[in-house]
Amino acid sequence: MMNILWPALILLSIFYAFLSQNTSALSDAVFSSLQDAVTLTLKMLGMLCFWSGMMQLAETSGLTKIIARALSPILRLLFPELRKDKDAQSAISMNITANLLGIGNAATPLGIEAMKRLKKHAPASDTASNAMVLFVVLNTASIKLIPTTVAMLRYENGSNAPMEIMPVSLFVSAVACTVAILAAKLLERRKHG
């Protein structure tokens, strides 16, 4: 759908600019937006590299095992089929940790690694297991203790207090995560029931 929507909006903008004889405003907007996009990408890339490196250090130092142990009671409750798969639990723990810190960009490679490990428990190669579905739900509606990415964007756009959204972000993400997990678990039971 988005493959159709974006090109349609771009073509509509170009068409309207020609109709209104305002092509100079269109070209100014295009070049200004391109410059802003490149600047934002470079800033986000720096943060992504930093946090990816921190996550690698956490894994090398053994911190991931400590985090996995701390999260294991929750993970055993949510993913009972993974009780003996410590590698999958560790990968899920690191993804949850990255999301808790609000660094969703750095959580992506960790999420891919977790999904590879969860795929081993799938009933068929082309079918997602309940654990895979729940992990996607948990990853998408994750709790954010520190909204790092949003705070950085707020700072870049001139906010005097970029972290003031922390309480609201924590509350909203906790509610969203709880509802998402409950929905996934209810639908899982309905499927088997």
Side-chain angles (χ1 to χ4, degrees):
M1 181 68 178
M2 295 305 284
N3 292 339
I4 297 168
L5 184 62
W6 286 117
L9 287 173
I10 291 169
L11 291 174
L12 184 65
S13 299
I14 293 169
F15 180 70
Y16 182 75
F18 279 109
L19 277 181
S20 64
Q21 298 178 348
N22 202 3
T23 54
S24 63
L26 175 68
S27 62
D28 289 345
V30 166
F31 289 119
S32 172
S33 296
L34 287 173
Q35 183 179 8
D36 292 344
V38 169
T39 303
L40 177 64
T41 301
L42 290 174
K43 288 178 182 175
M44 296 293 283
L45 182 64
M47 189 173 70
L48 174 65
C49 290
F50 172 75
W51 285 109
S52 293
M54 293 301 285
M55 289 297 175
Q56 186 65 40
L57 283 173
E59 190 170 351
T60 304
S61 70
L63 184 60
T64 58
K65 290 183 175 145
I66 294 168
I67 293 169
R69 217 173 300 127
L71 290 175
S72 67
I74 297 168
L75 293 179
R76 270 184 272 160
L77 182 66
L78 293 175
F79 301 96
E81 63 271 27
L82 300 179
R83 288 178 195 259
K84 295 181 180 176
D85 191 343
K86 299 296 182 196
D87 290 336
Q89 285 184 16
S90 179
I92 292 170
S93 296
M94 289 312 299
N95 179 268
I96 290 171
T97 303
N99 281 321
L100 283 172
L101 295 174
I103 47 175
N105 296 332
T108 301
L110 299 167
I112 292 169
E113 180 62 29
M115 194 58 80
K116 286 178 185 174
R117 295 185 188 277
L118 289 173
K119 188 159 179 63
K120 295 175 185 173
H121 299 277
S125 64
D126 64 343
T127 305
S129 67
N130 290 330
M132 292 170 81
V133 171
L134 182 59
F135 176 69
V136 169
V137 166
L138 189 62
N139 190 39
T140 304
S142 60
I143 296 174
K144 308 267 189 296
L145 292 177
I146 306 169
T148 309
T149 302
V150 175
M152 195 265 313
L153 291 172
R154 286 173 48 90
Y155 175 77
E156 290 298 322
N157 287 294
S159 174
N160 292 329
M163 295 300 274
E164 72 184 355
I165 60 168
M166 277 182 62
V168 174
S169 175
L170 178 60
F171 175 75
V172 170
S173 63
V175 169
C177 189
T178 303
V179 170
I181 290 170
L182 288 173
K185 286 296 188 179
L186 285 172
L187 290 172
E188 177 184 318
R189 284 192 183 146
R190 183 173 173 214
K191 179 183 172 188
H192 294 300

